Amino acid sequence: MATPNRQVRLGARPVGLPTPDDWQHTTEDVPEPGAGEFLVRTEYVSLDPAMRGWMNDARSYIRPVRIGEIMRAAALGKVVASNHPGFAVGDHVTGTFGVQEYAVSDGRGVIRADPAVAPLPTYLGVLGLTGLTAWFGLLDVGRPEAGDTVVVSGAAGAVGGVVGQIAKHLGCRVVGIAGGAEKCRLVTEEFGFDACVDYRSGDLRAALREHTPDGVDVYFDNVGGEILDLVLTRLRLGARVVLCGAISQYNATERPTGPANYLSLLVNRASMTGMLVFDYADRYGEGMAALADLLATGAVTAREHVVEGTVDDFPEVLLKLFTGENTGKLLLRIADR
Ligand code: NAP
């Protein structure tokens, strides 16, 4: 009897937060790898805020997931059959394998994960696209110098937590913004930021003023919306705003209002630049090597938030990103079959 392959497909385009009706759960036979291909059994699925954007029928940096298509997702798995000379049975690999238990790959865009270098989940976190986003976004776009004040939103999250730790390593003064006292404790005590502002309580404007008395040289923006608007009021001359993400807007059902304080960019001859990690694909090896060194020396701590389950749990786990239930890189570990 053929082995079943459970899959989660996009069922409908969501309005606001995705609901169970927006998904289809299907079962197919596990496919046979053809010539030059290999079969991967999924062990961890990466949950990323960008997935919400991929569900919309809108022009973006990548085509939308089609209705009825397996949901696009990065994942880590083990090669269980191979007709590919570069990948052997037993190898661990990451790639865009989708929300399913098994995937066939021809090796394009696949990166090998070496459990001797780092625990496997870290290959979807600090050593995966989130860590690479932090690395290239901060260094290439933020261009921090020692002594700079760097503010990071989503500071207890996958990208933000790494951004702040790299900035500390470079000798910057680092202020995080996160939701809740417990997350702020993690950001300062475990990630080593100098300060963290809880945007869910109190006066964010006053807290930012208190913690950035000399203004902000680099703002790494993961959330957009009101928080971006407030940080714009703190920019210093020549500041760099890294537009990495805008999670506060991803489920909006109305048009977002633009940042009212954008003239601060003019006054301070500052820049606000969008960055996309995929643009650095030919430098991933360089970034991974640098991040592996930072992990090895303890300059950066990897934190993954692993939920145990099956691929069918994906829709529910995805929502944790939007309710702020995750700390660190959110992953779904697929139970052994
Ligand atoms: P994450 O930060 O690990 O998780 C999302 C976090 O966002 C939540 O834990 C929550 O933390 C916060 N959040 C949710 N709703 C919010 C709201 N309305 N206002 C403020 N904060 C809110 O996710 P991630 O994977 O590291 O991604 C962070 C950002 O980077 C996202 O915007 C993502 O799209 C972006 N990104 C961009 C690229 C690129 O190439 N440009 C690549 C990867 C990721 P709190 O509890 O602190 O609110």
Side-chain angles (χ1 to χ4, degrees):
M1 203 181 79
T3 312
N5 181 23
R6 291 289 292 166
Q7 303 156 324
V8 176
R9 296 169 184 272
L10 183 63
R13 305 236 173 258
V15 178
L17 274 177
T19 68
D21 292 343
D22 297 325
W23 303 100
Q24 294 167 355
H25 298 255
T26 55
T27 305
E28 287 184 350
D29 290 348
V30 171
E32 292 281 333
E37 294 181 336
F38 55 92
L39 179 69
V40 178
R41 194 182 69 199
T42 309
E43 294 179 349
Y44 293 88
V45 176
S46 175
L47 294 110
D48 294 276
M51 289 169 156
R52 180 61 189 84
W54 304 340
M55 297 167 79
N56 294 336
D57 187 16
R59 200 175 72 85
S60 187
Y61 56 86
I62 194 168
R63 73 159 177 80
V65 176
R66 285 185 281 265
I67 301 292
E69 189 180 0
I70 293 170
M71 182 60 196
R72 181 186 295 135
L76 179 141
K78 194 181 201 170
V79 176
V80 291
S82 181
N83 300 319
H84 191 297
F87 295 91
V89 170
D91 284 354
H92 278 97
V93 289
T94 62
T96 311
F97 300 136
V99 185
Q100 55 180 339
E101 291 180 319
Y102 292 87
V104 162
S105 169
D106 61 7
R108 264 181 294 177
V110 170
I111 293 177
R112 210 178 295 276
D114 181 354
V117 173
L120 290 172
T122 305
Y123 281 89
L124 291 174
V126 175
L127 296 180
L129 287 179
T130 50
L132 292 166
T133 303
W135 178 259
F136 290 114
L138 181 66
L139 270 68
D140 209 55
V141 184
R143 301 185 307 281
E145 291 181 8
D148 277 358
T149 296
V150 175
V151 172
V152 188
S153 54
V159 173
V162 181
V163 168
Q165 293 183 78
I166 300 170
K168 272 306 290 177
H169 178 69
L170 297 173
C172 301
R173 183 183 144 67
V174 184
V175 179
I177 303 174
E182 181 49 30
K183 283 198 179 185
C184 278
R185 189 201 61 76
L186 171 92
V187 165
T188 51
E189 291 180 16
E190 290 187 36
F191 293 163
F193 288 34
D194 296 284
C196 182
V197 175
D198 173 6
Y199 74 90
R200 291 186 200 258
S201 83
D203 182 345
L204 178 58
R205 182 187 292 268
L208 276 175
R209 206 179 304 127
E210 177 194 339
H211 291 295
T212 62
D214 300 323
V216 173
D217 298 286
V218 177
Y219 173 47
F220 196 103
D221 186 25
N222 285 314
V223 303
E226 279 174 39
I227 294 176
L228 164 64
D229 210 16
L230 278 178
V231 180
L232 286 178
T233 67
R234 303 297 307 152
L235 297 187
R236 292 184 71 174
L237 202 62
R240 285 84 63 202
V241 176
V242 184
L243 198 46
C244 173
I247 193 167
S248 70
Q249 308 299 308
Y250 293 174
N251 292 291
T253 49
E254 287 168 16
R255 276 175 73 79
T257 46
N261 298 318
Y262 80 100
L263 277 182
S264 175
L265 296 167
L266 182 157
V267 171
N268 294 295
R269 280 79 100 203
S271 65
M272 187 156 121
T273 308
M275 80 77 58
L276 188 65
V277 67
F278 300 145
D279 292 343
Y280 295 89
D282 58 353
R283 294 177 61 194
Y284 285 171
E286 173 199 328
M288 283 177 74
L291 288 159
D293 281 349
L294 292 178
L295 281 174
T297 61
V300 169
T301 302
R303 188 171 172 111
E304 292 100 22
H305 185 130
V306 179
V307 179
E308 304 276 340
T310 70
V311 291
D312 292 307
D313 296 316
F314 167 83
E316 199 186 321
V317 180
L318 179 66
L319 298 179
K320 291 184 186 294
L321 293 168
F322 304 112
T323 53
E325 279 171 73
N326 68 304
T327 39
K329 173 67 210 163
L330 183 61
L331 299 174
L332 173 60
R333 182 174 183 280
I334 308 303
D336 286 341
R337 308 168 290 282

